[in-house]
Every structure is written in C-alpha cells, then in structure tokens.
Amino acid sequence: MKIIKLFSSLLIVGLLLGGCGGNDNAEEVKEIAPDKEEATPGTGDEKTNDDNTKNLTASVEDTKGSLEELSMTLTNTPEEAKKLNEQGSKVEEKWDQIEKQVEDNYPDDYENIEKSLYPLIEEAKKDTPDAENLKNLTEDTMNKMNEFLEKVKNQ
C-alpha cells in the first residue's frame, strides 16, 4: 500500500513538473544558455543561471519520474512487454528533451548517464524485453540521474 501511495505521489509530481518543464521551456533554456556566458556581471546573469538550473532540475526530475514508472512496472508486471515498450519510449522522449543541454553543459555526466540509459532504451524496445536486465539498467540509470540532479541543484 505504501508503494502505491509513493508511486502515486511521484506520478503526480512528475506530471506537474512535466507541465512546467515541457519542450517550450527546454527550447528557451537552450537559447538563454549562450547569453549567460557573454553577459557582463550584474546584468541578470545570476537570474538566468537560476532559471536554467530550475528548468534543468525540473526536466531531470521529469525524466526520473519516467524511470520510476518503468521500475514500478518491472516490479509489478514485468511480463507486460507492450507496457515496457511504451514506458521505455517515454523515458527516451523525456531524455531527448534535455539531452543537448546536458551534453553541452555537463559532458562527463552526459556520457556517464548514457552508458546505462541507451542500453535501457534499447532493451525496453525489444519485442520481449529481458526484465532482469531492464531492472539492473533502470537502477543504474536512476542512481546516475540522482547524482546528476544533486550536482545541478548544488550549483
């Protein structure tokens, strides 16, 4: 029962953050980031940096929410290949929204996350995904996303 409440809460938070961190915001962040480096101190750099961090944080949390949904499915109904396929695609979609920004601003973290994320996505797309392999990849990717999220929040 606690797991269902936790999952429901995470899902609601993810949906709320998803509404705030959609494609439009991600595009704005990409356009603002280069200006941040060119601006002179005292002209709003700190606000722009804070906005970028907030947008990226929300998008990373949204991606994590998709990973958590996949993890719950793997725990509860690992034999439902179609559902695993859909959730794998959702994880890929959420990551694609922030991928370029992460790659440009955090190249080491980008490379680290993708070492487990891409195999996870590929496994989830298979007609009959290997649930045990997906569990391991999901756990590994979640750990990396959590570390990255903490790094972004602390900047």
Side-chain angles (χ1 to χ4, degrees):
M1 188 66 175
K2 288 182 181 180
I3 292 175
I4 293 172
K5 287 182 180 179
L6 175 63
F7 177 70
S8 298
S9 298
L10 291 172
L11 181 61
I12 291 170
V13 169
L15 290 173
L16 289 173
L17 291 174
C20 296
N23 285 340
D24 294 339
N25 290 341
E27 292 298 319
E28 290 174 14
V29 170
K30 290 176 186 174
E31 293 173 13
I32 291 173
D35 295 339
K36 176 182 72 164
E37 297 172 359
E38 297 172 3
T40 58
T43 59
D45 288 352
E46 293 158 7
K47 182 169 177 16
T48 301
N49 192 29
D50 287 346
D51 289 345
N52 288 342
T53 300
K54 287 178 184 176
N55 287 335
L56 182 58
T57 299
S59 297
V60 171
E61 287 175 346
D62 199 25
T63 304
K64 275 184 48 187
S66 297
L67 284 166
E68 289 166 355
E69 288 178 34
L70 177 60
S71 179
M72 292 299 292
T73 299
L74 287 165
T75 301
N76 298 327
T77 54
E79 68 283 347
E80 290 190 30
K82 184 177 180 181
K83 193 169 186 179
L84 294 173
N85 295 151
E86 290 171 0
Q87 289 177 335
S89 293
K90 186 174 179 183
V91 169
E92 181 178 29
E93 176 186 316
K94 296 296 181 185
W95 177 249
D96 286 348
Q97 293 174 1
I98 60 172
E99 180 176 18
K100 184 68 175 153
Q101 182 181 6
V102 175
E103 183 179 21
D104 290 347
N105 298 315
Y106 305 92
D108 293 337
D109 295 301
Y110 169 80
E111 186 176 323
N112 183 39
I113 291 168
E114 291 213 335
K115 284 181 182 175
S116 59
L117 182 65
Y118 277 143
L120 179 150
I121 292 167
E122 290 304 313
E123 185 66 42
K125 287 181 179 181
K126 292 181 179 177
D127 291 336
T128 53
D130 179 351
E132 196 58 39
N133 188 24
L134 265 178
K135 283 181 187 178
N136 292 334
L137 291 167
T138 302
E139 183 178 321
D140 191 27
T141 304
M142 282 292 293
N143 290 336
K144 292 175 181 182
M145 291 293 267
N146 284 329
E147 289 173 12
F148 178 63
L149 183 59
E150 287 304 312
K151 179 179 183 175
V152 171
K153 283 182 177 180
N154 292 327
Q155 288 188 346

